[in-house]
């Protein structure tokens, strides 16, 4: 592995917190790169120039959008309407998927998902088929043509409880769904509900996960167990577990050898080996939630929930090289490279 390895994810008006702080390394973001950010407590999706931090526009949405994915052409973003602020918040939540036109920067339309509510985890496969997870019903919804679908094309039960997030295989044939109250991860076949889910308990409060590049290993953050866990992606047997000493909220695949995890208790961003050995850690000045990885440069855009900022991190040096303010509670984001 060279220092210039291309890093990709396997598996986010007036600036709210002051002016942008560009720095050396931040200039690696090309002119025209755009970071699209779900600002969940401002009930909006914001658009930012990734190099300067300048706010380019926003799409206002109903209360508390959460997770987001973008199609392969960068034409549409799909945002789940969770409808409540946090997983612990009581309430029936939202029942919709918002379709955002990324060219017009406008809400194109809304897909009604009733009776499936608290739509949180979102995924999209290599054929641009969309998947959305109902936490309330513990059902994974599928949309074969989300650009035009008016309702789900399919639905499969996950057999978890309070299902929150999922990781999708590239072909969309496997989904790994975390259950916050059942403390399980379910291997679900989104296109064949006749195949029963295969479950494992990797630890307490599993929330996020990611697949290795070869899709043979699933890495899970078990928050209450303070552990990263490696699971066989076919048999769902636990291979290895490693204590982190904190609260691993999100985990991402960087390359064949490295993972990236956010910790909301220690307020750190940590690079781990795929063998679950800690390599290096960076202390941040806010609570890190979701991360977007630049598709061609070693840059991570880290949403800091409590300070309403994006920290721009150089992954080669694991150092903050810039940042900018957002509206309230930035969470999931997607980096859109400049069009050639």
């Amino acid at each position: 592995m060279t220092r210039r390895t291309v890093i990709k994810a396997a598996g986010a008006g007036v600036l709210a917190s002051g002016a942008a702080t560009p720095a050396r390394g931040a200039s690696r973001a090309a002119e025209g790169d755009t970071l699209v950010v779900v600002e969940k407590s401002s009930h909006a999706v914001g658009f930012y120039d990734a190099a300067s931090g300048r706010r380019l526009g926003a799409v206002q949405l109903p209360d508390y959008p959460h997770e987001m994915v973008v199609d392969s052409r960068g034409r549409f973003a799909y945002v789940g309407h969770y409808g409540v602020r946090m997983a612990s918040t009581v309430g029936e939540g939202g029942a919709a998927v918002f379709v955002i036109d990324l060219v017009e920067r406008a809400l194109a339309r809304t897909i009604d998902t009733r009776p499936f509510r608290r739509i949180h985890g979102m995924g999209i496969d290599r054929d641009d088929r969309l998947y959305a997870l109902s936490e309330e019903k513990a059902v994974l919804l599928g949309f074969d043509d989300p650009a035009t679908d008016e309702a789900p094309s399919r639905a499969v039960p996950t057999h978890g409880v309070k299902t929150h997030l999922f990781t999708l295989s590239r072909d969309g044939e496997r989904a790994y769904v975390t259950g916050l109250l059942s403390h399980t991860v379910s291997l679900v076949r989104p296109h064949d509900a006749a195949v029963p889910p295969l479950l494992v308990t990797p630890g307490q409060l599993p929330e996020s996960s990611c697949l290795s590049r070869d899709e043979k290993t699933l890495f899970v953050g078990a928050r209450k167990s303070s552990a990263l866990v490696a699971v066989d992606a076919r048999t769902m047997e636990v291979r290895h577990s490693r204590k982190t000493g904190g609260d691993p909220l999100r985990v991402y695949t960087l390359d064949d050898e490295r993972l990236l995890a956010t910790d909301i208790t220690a307020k750190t961003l940590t690079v781990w080996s795929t063998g679950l050995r800690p390599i290096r850690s960076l202390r941040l000045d806010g609570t890190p939630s979701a991360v977007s990885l630049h598709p061609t440069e070693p840059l991570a855009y880290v949403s800091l929930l409590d300070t309403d900022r994006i920290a721009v991190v150089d992954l080669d040096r694991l150092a903050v090289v810039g940042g900018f303010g957002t509206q309230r509670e930035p969470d999931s984001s997607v980096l859109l490279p400049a069009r050639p």
Side-chain angles (χ1 to χ4, degrees):
M1 179 183 68
T2 67
R3 300 293 288 171
R4 300 301 301 160
T5 300
V6 172
I7 296 174
K8 293 185 180 180
V14 177
L15 295 180
S17 301
T21 55
R24 66 189 183 110
S27 60
R28 290 177 177 175
E31 189 70 29
D33 283 359
T34 302
L35 190 71
V36 186
V37 185
V38 174
E39 298 159 326
K40 65 182 184 181
S41 284
S42 287
H43 321 301
V45 171
F47 295 78
Y48 294 87
D49 180 274
S52 69
R54 181 169 62 92
R55 188 171 175 85
L56 304 172
V59 177
Q60 206 65 36
L61 297 172
D63 285 2
Y64 299 113
H66 276 224
E67 298 300 302
M68 173 177 60
V69 291
V70 170
D71 67 21
S72 61
R73 299 176 299 145
R75 185 67 175 84
F76 294 107
Y78 300 96
V79 181
H81 188 201
Y82 193 50
V84 293
R85 180 171 172 262
M86 299 175 66
S88 59
T89 304
V90 175
E92 64 179 11
V97 172
F98 304 121
V99 183
I100 308 293
D101 186 319
L102 295 172
V103 175
E104 300 295 330
R105 294 177 184 163
L107 177 63
R109 60 196 188 86
T110 298
I111 305 174
D112 191 334
T113 63
R114 289 176 295 180
F116 304 102
R117 293 189 171 274
R118 291 176 78 113
I119 304 300
H120 193 261
M122 302 289 291
I124 198 161
D125 67 23
R126 65 189 179 194
D127 295 318
D128 283 336
R129 295 177 298 187
L130 179 70
Y131 307 82
L133 182 61
S134 167
E135 182 186 88
E136 177 242 358
K137 288 285 194 294
V139 167
L140 183 64
L141 308 175
F143 304 81
D144 290 344
D145 190 358
T148 58
D149 284 343
E150 298 293 339
S153 307
R154 62 192 73 251
V156 295
T158 67
H159 292 197
V161 180
K162 202 172 181 63
T163 51
H164 201 62
L165 291 171
F166 65 95
T167 293
L168 191 67
S169 62
R170 285 184 288 271
D171 62 7
E173 295 300 323
R174 292 176 286 145
Y176 301 86
V177 182
T178 57
L180 297 181
L181 280 182
S182 54
H183 306 290
T184 55
V185 180
S186 308
L187 168 53
V188 174
R189 303 290 179 173
H191 296 274
D192 191 351
V195 178
L198 186 60
L199 276 68
V200 67
T201 303
Q204 297 297 296
L205 199 68
E207 181 161 342
S208 75
S209 64
C210 63
L211 279 167
S212 59
R213 286 285 184 87
D214 61 10
E215 299 194 338
K216 292 181 179 180
T217 305
L218 183 76
F219 299 100
V220 182
R223 297 182 55 193
K224 281 191 176 179
S225 297
S226 298
L228 286 179
V229 184
V231 176
D232 187 296
R234 296 289 181 174
T235 67
M236 297 301 284
E237 296 177 352
V238 172
R239 289 177 176 168
H240 185 47
S241 181
R242 178 69 179 252
K243 289 289 186 179
T244 67
D247 185 339
L249 180 66
R250 300 263 185 158
V251 57
Y252 302 88
T253 300
L254 290 180
D255 50 39
D256 290 335
E257 300 174 7
R258 298 177 302 161
L259 308 172
L260 187 71
T262 62
D263 189 307
I264 63 171
T265 298
K267 296 188 176 182
T268 55
L269 190 68
T270 301
V271 177
W272 294 78
S273 74
T274 52
L276 302 187
R277 177 179 60 83
I279 297 172
R280 196 172 181 184
S281 189
L282 171 66
R283 174 83 180 193
L284 298 164
D285 62 0
T287 301
S289 56
V291 175
S292 272
L293 301 170
H294 196 287
T296 59
E297 296 291 344
L299 292 174
Y301 298 85
V302 185
S303 297
L304 303 178
L305 278 173
D306 54 345
T307 58
D308 300 333
R309 288 186 64 79
I310 300 293
V312 183
V313 175
D314 183 318
L315 291 170
D316 280 346
R317 294 184 284 141
L318 201 62
V320 175
V321 294
F324 49 87
T326 67
Q327 293 191 350
R328 292 174 58 203
E329 289 196 308
D331 201 354
S332 60
S333 66
V334 174
L335 193 285
L336 301 179
R339 294 182 182 275

